[in-house]
Amino acid sequence: MNVYIQSIFNCSAQRLFEEVQKTENFFYVTNPLVRFVPRDCTVGAVWKEGQYVMNMYFLGFLPLGSQYIHIQLDKANMSVLDRGHSKPVPKWHHLIRIQEAGDTQALYSDCIDIEAGLLTLPVVLFARCFFYYRQHRWKKLVKKMRKG
């Protein structure tokens, strides 16, 4: 099943793509709903192509298990693909695409392809809430960027 959510942000697409690649922004937009803690991997200042293993905690403290994040960057098309998976969710493929939407605006979209057997529907419902939350946090972050 797929989840698709998009928003318009008041900054250039190029600037937004630069910000999406910063790992500190990933941690900001996901916290405190889901806290990710690197396990047996080093996470630098920006995402690099490769695999990362993260422990996840709902609301910052309830363990959700480990998530395998496999990053692929497409700088020419301003997109990031995570071919993620975990034990209960064998397929969590998340594509972030950023496109120009005028001189000072960007169209940001999250497309998530999920396969989790009998858990697919509840995982999809959670993903919808989680990605609306993430985009809300991105809007707050973009507003901060514009001020300072």
Side-chain angles (χ1 to χ4, degrees), residues 26-91:
F26 166 76
F27 293 119
Y28 173 81
V29 300
T30 59
N31 277 323
L33 189 59
V34 178
R35 183 169 58 98
F36 288 83
V37 178
R39 189 188 90 199
D40 303 330
C41 63
T42 301
V43 178
V46 295
W47 290 111
K48 297 194 182 330
E49 292 198 346
Q51 182 168 284
Y52 303 84
V53 183
M54 305 271 190
N55 289 330
M56 297 185 307
Y57 299 89
F58 182 63
L59 300 176
F61 67 93
L62 295 171
L64 291 174
S66 297
Q67 176 74 7
Y68 292 80
I69 298 172
H70 187 85
I71 299 291
Q72 294 175 290
L73 297 168
D74 183 348
K75 293 184 179 188
N77 291 306
M78 290 191 283
S79 66
V80 179
L81 175 61
D82 165 24
R83 291 187 180 279
H85 62 91
S86 65
K87 196 171 231 173
V89 184
K91 184 178 183 184

Side-chain angles (χ1 to χ4, degrees), residues 76-132:
N77 291 306
M78 290 191 283
S79 66
V80 179
L81 175 61
D82 165 24
R83 291 187 180 279
H85 62 91
S86 65
K87 196 171 231 173
V89 184
K91 184 178 183 184
W92 177 280
H93 292 183
H94 173 211
L95 176 65
I96 297 171
R97 285 193 57 185
I98 299 168
Q99 299 169 290
E100 293 287 348
D103 292 339
T104 60
Q105 291 188 317
L107 175 64
Y108 173 102
S109 63
D110 287 305
C111 183
I112 309 91
D113 184 12
I114 298 167
E115 290 179 12
L118 294 173
L119 294 175
T120 298
L121 184 58
V123 171
V124 164
L125 294 173
F126 172 77
R128 289 189 61 76
C129 296
F130 180 54
F131 283 94
Y132 275 115

Side-chain angles (χ1 to χ4, degrees), residues 17-28:
F17 184 62
E18 290 167 6
E19 296 299 322
V20 163
Q21 294 176 71
K22 295 178 182 176
T23 55
E24 70 180 321
N25 291 338
F26 166 76
F27 293 119
Y28 173 81

